[in-house]
Amino acid sequence: MHNHTTKPPFGEKSPQGQPAPQAAPGPEPGYTTTALAERHEALWLSLAALHKDTVALGAKKPNAPTSDAARIVAEGLLSDCAPFIRQRRERLPVAAMDLAGLAVQLGQALAALEDWESRHTSWDERFNCRIWRLYRGYRPILRLKPPAAALTFQRTDFDDLRGKLAVRIERRERGAYEQGFEAGRAARAGAPADPTAVVSDPAQTYPRLRSLG
């Protein structure tokens, strides 16, 4: 996903000097995986909490230097955003030196996460909540506190599918066993004679047999 600015304020160099890791391409545009959805939600919560605290501190002293502890946490979270917001070959982020700059960085990262979320979710009219569009099935966005019915339906739906599949497999195996058993018993007993069958005359079927008689 592209950033909202052409020159992100993450700095041109990083302590490691390594390009940001890239996420594996998703199965289809607009769809994601359960692992990425869970990672996104956890990251959004941590980033939002740090952004809130930074904004509160920066409102009092915007030019105050960023503490080492805040810088380490911020750079770690901004690096974790790589699968969602970083461009290819982009360097790992470096936190801003002051609180005002750090608040801007975190705010931009949050906006980028929300943009990525909007392109991988949709509105579920059944339960009136937003859901992740997964490669297989769906997952409600938990941080938005979806109704319990959405979570219950998801579990029940998959359990019902498993149950139906198990019954179908069992019936198929039972049918194959019974057919094989009947075929084996018939082979041992020999095929019964059909009284209605018409026995053909070999001499009529094979005229050359007459000359051999």
Side-chain angles (χ1 to χ4, degrees):
M1 174 180 179
H2 63 277
N3 291 329
H4 291 274
T5 58
T6 56
K7 295 183 179 180
F10 295 129
E12 297 181 355
K13 296 182 179 180
S14 66
Q16 299 86 352
Q18 298 294 328
Q22 301 297 316
E28 292 183 50
Y31 287 79
T32 185
T33 62
T34 301
L36 272 179
E38 293 176 349
R39 184 176 179 181
H40 182 283
E41 291 200 51
L43 178 59
W44 190 96
L45 291 173
S46 299
L47 201 62
L50 181 60
H51 177 253
K52 181 179 179 180
D53 293 341
T54 303
V55 169
L57 294 174
K60 300 178 181 178
K61 297 180 180 179
N63 296 324
T66 303
S67 66
D68 290 339
R71 177 183 57 79
I72 293 173
V73 173
E75 289 181 352
L77 291 176
L78 292 172
S79 297
D80 291 340
C81 291
F84 308 103
I85 68 176
R86 312 222 71 68
Q87 298 291 335
R88 185 175 298 278
R89 308 302 300 173
E90 186 175 339
R91 298 295 180 180
L92 290 173
V94 175
M97 300 301 295
D98 54 68
L99 294 178
L102 181 60
V104 172
Q105 280 182 289
L106 299 176
Q108 288 181 332
L110 274 176
L113 286 180
E114 291 173 356
D115 178 69
W116 191 90
E117 176 183 298
S118 68
R119 292 185 286 106
H120 295 81
T121 60
S122 60
W123 181 259
D124 192 327
E125 296 182 352
R126 292 172 296 178
F127 307 109
N128 294 324
C129 66
R130 294 198 66 82
I131 59 172
W132 292 102
R133 294 194 301 267
L134 303 180
Y135 179 60
R136 295 180 179 178
Y138 77 99
R139 172 189 171 87
I141 301 179
L142 300 182
R143 79 165 196 278
L144 300 181
K145 299 180 180 179
L151 303 176
T152 304
F153 178 83
Q154 185 182 24
R155 291 194 298 270
T156 303
D157 189 27
F158 282 108
D159 290 343
D160 184 57
L161 289 176
R162 293 191 190 97
K164 290 180 179 179
L165 180 60
V167 171
R168 173 174 290 187
I169 293 175
E170 182 180 357
R171 289 178 179 176
R172 184 174 181 178
E173 292 178 348
R174 186 186 301 117
Y177 170 79
E178 292 176 354
Q179 290 179 0
F181 179 79
E182 292 296 334
R185 186 169 62 178
R188 288 196 303 270
D194 187 356
T196 63
V198 177
V199 180
S200 61
D201 185 359
Q204 295 178 356
T205 306
Y206 304 98
R208 294 184 60 185
L209 291 177
R210 294 179 182 178
S211 61
L212 299 177

